[in-house]
Amino acid sequence: METSAEGVAGTAGDEGAAAERAAAVTVEPGTVGVVERVAIAPASLSPSRASDFMQCPLLYRFRVIDRLPEKPSEAATRGTLVHSVLERLFDAPAAERTAPRAKSLIPGQWDRLRESRPEVVELFADDPEGERLARWLGEAERLVERWFSLEDPTRLEPAEREMFIEAELDSGLKLRGIIDRVDVAPTGDVRIVDYKTGKAPRPEYAEGALFQMKFYALVVWRLKQVVPRRLQLVYLGSGDVVTYDPVIADLERVERKLLALWEAIRLATETGDWRPRPTKLCGWCDHQSVCPEFGGTPPPYPLPVRRVDEGAGVPGAVAGAASGDEVGAGSGEGVEVAGAGSGEVMGAGSGEGADVTEAGSGQGAGVA
C-alpha cells in the first residue's frame, strides 16, 4: 500500500504526510484559523505519483502541485481499513492470529480511521439506518478472512510492517514509499509483501502491477545493498498470490526509467506544461471540472515558469513520459505506461483501495 509525500492532497497514509503538511500550509498574518496552501515543487517520487504522471501529467500536477482535494471512496477506504487490520493482527502472539480475531479488530480500526480521517464519515452520511455501512464492513470482513486462505500468519514473523523507506540516488532523485510487510528468512533472504484489496490483473497487465514492487526493491537495494529475494502481491479480491524474483538488471532498468520520468516531471514543473492524457480512467477522476478535456480550466499555475525556446522539445518529453515513448536524452529507456487507459493499471479503476498503484481511481489509500 503506498501513497506519496510529494503532495498533501495525495492519498491517505502518505509517507511523510505530517512533515509535508507542515511545509505546505501557512497562516496568514492577522487571521485566526485561516490557512493558505503554499505550492511547492516536487521533491521526491513514490510509486503512486510515478503512476499518476504516466497515466496523466495533468493529474500529477493536480495532486502534487495544486493539491486539489479529492473525495474519499468506499473502495479506497475499505482498503485502508483492511490494511490496518492485517498490520495490527501481528501484534498478537502467533497462536492467536486467527480469522475470528482479525475480524474482531475491524470495528476498532474503523473507529480509529474515522478519528484520524473525519472526511470518511461522509461516505455513509446518506445511510441513516446503517445498512450500507453494514454491507461495507461485511465486505471488509470477507477480504480479511480470505487472506487466511493465502497466508498463514501463525508461521510469519514480519521484520517490518508499514515500513517507510527513502533513498537518494546518485543523481539526487529521492525515492520513497511505504511497504506493507517485509519478511526476512533465517538465511537473510528478504521478501517484500504488498496486500491488494482488488483482483489480480490479467496476465498481459502483470508487468504494470509489479511496477510498485520493483520500485520498492530498488529502494531497498540502494539502501541496504541487498536485492530482495522475492516480491509478493497478495490479491484479497480474487484470492491470488503473484510472485516475482528480481535480479539486479531489473532494478537497474527501473532506475533508468525513473530517472527519465523525473526529468520529464522536472521539465513540466519548470515550464508549467502539464498536458491531460484522456483514457478510460478519466471516469474515476475527481478533477473533471478543472480538466480541459471536459471543458474545465485548471487553476492558475502556482509556481514560477521559464520560457522554453521553440523546438526545445519539452512538450514532447512530457507527452512521451505519459505515452510510453522515449524520455530523457540519452537515457535509452522508455517510461512504460503499464497499460494506462485499460482500467487495469496496477488496480487503477478496479475499485481497489489502499494501493500505491491506484492512480486513476482518484482515491488511493496509501500504498506504501
Side-chain angles (χ1 to χ4, degrees):
M1 171 180 91
E2 178 270 347
T3 52
S4 80
E6 297 119 49
V8 177
T11 54
D14 287 1
E15 62 270 19
E20 208 48 42
R21 288 188 183 94
V25 299
T26 60
V27 179
E28 294 181 348
T31 62
V32 178
V34 177
V35 296
E36 176 185 342
R37 293 190 180 278
V38 178
I40 52 177
S44 63
L45 194 61
S46 69
S48 56
R49 298 295 80 87
S51 296
D52 284 349
F53 190 84
M54 289 189 288
Q55 176 190 325
C56 173
L58 187 58
L59 173 64
Y60 179 96
R61 177 201 148 170
F62 287 158
R63 285 181 166 170
V64 176
I65 295 177
D66 297 296
R67 298 190 299 283
L68 300 183
E70 296 180 345
K71 298 177 183 178
S73 75
E74 290 188 16
T77 305
R78 182 172 52 241
T80 302
L81 175 61
V82 169
H83 275 75
S84 66
V85 168
L86 298 186
E87 179 191 3
R88 292 277 70 83
L89 182 65
F90 284 102
D91 290 340
E96 297 178 20
R97 298 171 194 160
T98 63
R101 182 183 180 92
K103 289 191 290 185
S104 74
L105 295 174
I106 290 177
Q109 292 303 310
W110 172 229
D111 288 342
R112 288 189 178 188
L113 183 56
R114 287 184 296 176
E115 291 174 5
S116 62
R117 294 180 55 198
E119 68 273 14
V120 303
V121 175
E122 68 185 67
L123 288 171
F124 303 101
D126 60 348
D127 181 37
E129 302 300 322
E131 295 179 359
R132 273 185 39 240
L133 174 60
R135 287 195 299 270
W136 183 82
L137 290 171
E139 291 167 358
E141 285 189 0
R142 285 188 287 276
L143 291 170
V144 168
E145 190 167 27
R146 181 170 289 151
W147 177 59
F148 286 82
S149 68
L150 305 175
E151 295 191 288
D152 181 359
T154 66
R155 300 169 60 89
L156 296 171
E157 290 297 339
E160 299 285 350
R161 290 172 279 154
E162 294 296 310
M163 177 186 179
F164 172 73
I165 54 173
E166 181 178 78
E168 185 171 319
L169 305 181
D170 292 341
S171 65
L173 171 58
K174 185 179 293 183
L175 304 178
R176 64 202 322 180
I178 302 175
I179 301 174
D180 286 345
R181 198 179 85 219
V182 177
D183 301 330
V184 180
T187 59
D189 287 343
V190 174
R191 177 172 63 183
I192 295 176
V193 181
D194 197 76
Y195 309 122
K196 303 293 183 185
T197 50
K199 297 179 180 180
R202 295 201 298 265
E204 59 265 38
Y205 300 118
E207 182 61 30
L210 284 169
F211 170 76
Q212 168 194 357
M213 304 302 283
K214 291 181 179 180
F215 184 110
Y216 292 155
L218 168 63
V219 178
V220 170
W221 177 43
R222 289 306 189 197
L223 278 176
K224 308 292 186 181
Q225 288 73 54
V226 173
V227 176
R229 174 69 177 82
R230 173 153 295 180
L231 310 178
Q232 181 167 303
L233 289 159
V234 181
Y235 288 96
L236 305 177
S238 56
D240 295 298
V241 176
V242 176
T243 62
Y244 183 82
D245 297 341
V247 296
I248 288 179
D250 289 328
L251 307 187
E252 290 175 335
R253 280 193 295 272
V254 171
E255 183 170 351
R256 290 194 295 270
K257 290 179 180 181
L258 290 175
L259 291 173
L261 180 65
W262 187 247
E263 176 63 12
I265 291 173
R266 185 188 66 79
L267 290 172
T269 301
E270 293 180 357
T271 62
D273 183 9
W274 301 93
R275 301 194 177 187
R277 182 174 182 270
T279 69
K280 294 178 181 178
L281 301 183
C282 292
W284 283 275
C285 184
D286 276 351
H287 309 304
Q288 293 182 12
S289 64
V290 290
C291 177
E293 292 295 324
F294 293 87
T297 301
Y301 190 55
L303 297 175
V305 298
R306 65 174 174 86
R307 296 179 61 86
V308 180
D309 293 337
E310 188 174 350
V314 172
V318 175
S323 68
D325 296 335
E326 296 289 331
V327 186
S331 70
E333 291 289 335
V335 178
E336 297 175 359
V337 185
S342 66
E344 306 196 30
V345 186
M346 300 176 279
S350 67
E352 176 178 343
D355 297 321
V356 82
T357 46
E358 284 154 17
S361 69
Q363 304 293 346
V367 158

